[in-house]
Amino acid sequence: MSAAAAIPRRRVWSCMGTVFSIDVRSSGVESAVMDDVVAYSHRIDAIFSTYRPGSDISRLGRGEIRLAACAPEVREVLRRCAELRVETGGYFTAHPSGRLDPSGYVKGWAIETISDLLVSAGSTSHCVNGGGDVQCIGEAAPGRPWRVGVSHPLQPLSYVGVVESAGPLAVATSGTAERGAHIVDPHSGRCPTETASVTVVGSSIGLVDAYATAALAMGRDAEGWLDRQPGVSGIVVGADGSSTWLRAG
């Protein structure tokens, strides 16, 4: 193995309207693999972007094409969204505001798939970050776990806390800090205002990202619901700035 191959590899790029980054701490992952991962993220964006009239998801939503004519990833994502709708009592849906838009799952799923691609390429320790939602595998360094800071939605440059694990570690946050009240309760059609942010911690970023979206949509019921979910923990910050840490279910 060359000395260059042993150096941790990092890549930062813009995609899906946010910033993605990869930080590989294990040796053996070549630069070409990083190139492939970046290209993959842009392909997924081209398929699922609701801002591109020609994307598969936009055309499917307008009824111009059938599901069979879409990229296979669309079927995979919509199948999982249907499962998540059941798991969350309808608070997570691929049809927020009544139109087809699985964005609440796509980014987390893409992050997780990128992590899986890196594992397949030989990585044993890495972190994939997509707009603050992260999937970590292995350790940040031998004997040192990954540590992820959870930003306070109402206090810029402050943190609610830090979570850490030797991996796998997945952390996702839904909140009002950057985009205001934008998550809609599918049952009432309104944007809950009782909660400023919900962070969910687990091992799968696709799952915790969807759960964070669902919990934020639940408003005051978020804490009780999250506390009953197996294998995840959470941090709920109220509109008044108070925070509640929920144990792993």
Side-chain angles (χ1 to χ4, degrees), residues 27-220:
S27 61
V29 178
E30 301 296 335
S31 181
V33 172
M34 309 290 273
D35 294 340
D36 290 344
V37 162
V38 173
Y40 168 81
S41 71
H42 288 301
R43 176 177 178 272
I44 293 304
D45 191 27
I47 292 170
F48 287 100
S49 174
T50 58
Y51 298 98
R52 300 187 186 193
S55 70
D56 283 14
I57 208 69
S58 293
R59 297 179 65 204
L60 181 65
R62 294 194 301 267
E64 296 176 1
I65 57 175
R66 295 180 179 273
L67 186 58
C70 296
E73 290 89 348
V74 176
R75 293 189 291 278
E76 177 183 349
V77 164
L78 294 185
R79 175 192 58 77
R80 184 61 181 132
C81 285
E83 294 172 348
L84 287 164
R85 183 176 183 275
V86 174
E87 292 175 25
T88 62
Y91 281 96
F92 180 89
T93 174
H95 295 82
S97 303
R99 68 184 185 92
L100 180 62
D101 181 4
S103 301
Y105 178 67
V106 168
K107 186 179 71 170
W109 167 78
I111 293 169
E112 188 166 347
T113 305
I114 287 171
S115 177
D116 290 343
L117 291 172
L118 292 172
V119 169
S120 296
S123 174
T124 57
S125 297
H126 61 257
C127 178
V128 182
N129 186 324
D133 296 334
V134 301
Q135 177 80 59
C136 302
I137 298 296
E139 297 178 306
R144 182 163 63 89
W146 291 102
R147 305 181 79 244
V148 178
V150 179
S151 297
H152 198 295
L154 304 177
Q155 300 174 14
L157 305 181
S158 297
Y159 292 92
V160 180
V162 176
V163 295
E164 65 177 44
S165 173
L169 171 67
V171 183
T173 299
S174 287
T176 60
E178 295 185 2
R179 298 174 57 190
H182 65 286
I183 300 296
V184 176
D185 174 354
H187 300 295
S188 67
R190 71 179 186 89
C191 295
T193 58
E194 304 91 345
T195 304
S197 73
V198 177
T199 298
V200 183
V201 181
S203 59
S204 162
I205 188 62
L207 176 71
V208 300
D209 193 16
Y211 274 19
T213 299
L216 189 67
M218 292 177 191
R220 67 179 73 256

